[in-house]
Amino acid sequence: RLAGMSAAFIACWVAAAAAGSGPLSDAQVSAYHRDGAIVVRGLLPKDDVRAAMDYGSQRIAKSKFSSYDKLSFHDLQKSDALRRLALHSCVPAIVAQLMESERGAPSDE
């Protein structure tokens, strides 16, 4: 079942399971709720980030769109780097952790 999974992906999920909540610390989750974004240096392989950004820039340059928000799930089929970042990194675990924490986050209302 783990065939094809990167060591970083497996390590992330193992760490998340050991922590009982996710790969982010409570302070990072709180900062996300307070600021709307966080920076986690070294989280993703630089080569994959660079390749994904290059893919996005090329895709935008060839289209009428002017921003990365026009990328779609279809692009995961075309870019190995996007697929690795979206599916085989810590990103899914972090998204799940932040979505779960949203349930208990203070509301702006």
Side-chain angles (χ1 to χ4, degrees):
R1 194 162 195 208
L2 295 177
M5 300 294 176
S6 72
F9 175 81
I10 294 168
C12 178
W13 282 96
V14 168
S21 60
L24 298 178
S25 69
D26 290 343
Q28 289 170 312
V29 172
S30 293
Y32 168 78
H33 288 297
R34 183 187 66 238
D35 303 332
I38 57 172
V39 174
V40 182
R41 297 200 186 281
L43 177 71
L44 302 171
K46 288 180 184 181
D47 291 344
D48 282 346
V49 172
R50 190 172 297 113
M53 290 176 64
D54 289 346
Y55 171 83
S57 295
Q58 291 169 10
R59 171 101 157 59
I60 291 166
K62 293 178 183 177
S63 73
K64 61 183 177 184
F65 303 122
S66 62
S67 70
Y68 285 100
D69 66 345
K70 304 305 180 196
L71 295 174
S72 69
F73 283 108
H74 182 67
D75 292 296
L76 295 178
Q77 296 173 342
K78 295 182 176 186
S79 170
D80 290 339
L82 278 177
R83 189 170 41 258
R84 281 191 302 273
L85 292 176
L87 304 175
H88 303 293
S89 70
C90 280
V91 171
I94 290 171
V95 170
Q97 182 182 7
L98 292 175
M99 288 175 69
E100 181 64 28
S101 70
E102 290 277 325
R103 293 182 186 183
S107 172
D108 288 338
E109 297 174 3

